[in-house]
Amino acid sequence: MTIEPHRLSRRTLLKRGMGIFGLLAGGFSGASSLAEILKEPTPRQTLGPFFPDEGDPIDAIRENHAIGIPISQANDQDLTFVKGRRGKAKGQVIYLKGKVLSAKSGKPIPHTAIIMWSASASGRYNHREDNGMLKFPHPTTGEIIHRTYDAYFQYWGQAVTNEQGDYWFKTIVPGFYPIDLEAGLYRPSHLHFQLVPPGHPKLVTQLYFRGDQIPNNELNQKLLPMDVVILDAGLTTIDLERVIVDYAPDTSGEMSDGLVGRYDFMVPN
């Protein structure tokens, strides 16, 4: 598995990554308050090579068999199981919930279709092109990790916002995975999103993880500043912070089987 567009040297990646990490560690100051950050549009990032188009998946999971519906839109927003299969997805269950808002007005955008997709808990996509480096040593422990297909994980799903702009997904924390073992480069755990808000431009982005109970949390925080997708997208320190979601145990009791994160997508006009 290779990512051709990102032909950056390890030295360059490390230099740029450490710069971002240093700024993150130092925190924000001056005009860069959290309130001002949240008003900005959600940073755009690449669609990536593993979007579930027709013919791409290893296993063509389709919960909705209606004619004319693309496979990427044929599954619901609970990715922890596949309808008709007896079994649950492996991995730490999470809930992601929030709103889709106009960055200009702050108003909710109803009827926004959101497609989410990710790798399994072991870091493998349901995609025919994800066929390299299927086992690799953990970069800190040396444990051999096998990137395996999970037949009980839905892999992608769709939510549509209600009149108040609300959405939710239930899924698992995807695994990190290598993109260049020789250079020691890995992608941290992440979720992919494609939003189609009525009357607004399409938004493609990715969200990342933080939280004491997130698997490989410490490693993920180290990988984030050197991630080739983040660097290639030109995300600033503030941009990066705006696409990291904190997850914690549910305090309401309604989602006690998983960790909960909240994220509001800010859509440009």
Side-chain angles (χ1 to χ4, degrees), residues 96-126:
L96 178 67
K97 56 190 301 186
K99 292 179 176 290
V100 176
L101 304 170
S102 164
K104 183 176 181 180
S105 67
K107 294 181 179 180
I109 307 177
H111 314 301
T112 297
I114 310 173
I115 299 172
M116 182 182 74
W117 68 103
S118 78
S120 67
S122 64
R124 189 175 186 186
Y125 287 88
N126 181 1

Side-chain angles (χ1 to χ4, degrees), residues 5 12 36 107 138 140 158 168 172 205 239:
T12 300
E36 289 174 321
K107 294 181 179 180
H138 190 286
T140 56
Q158 177 179 245
W168 65 268
I172 52 89
T205 194
D239 289 335

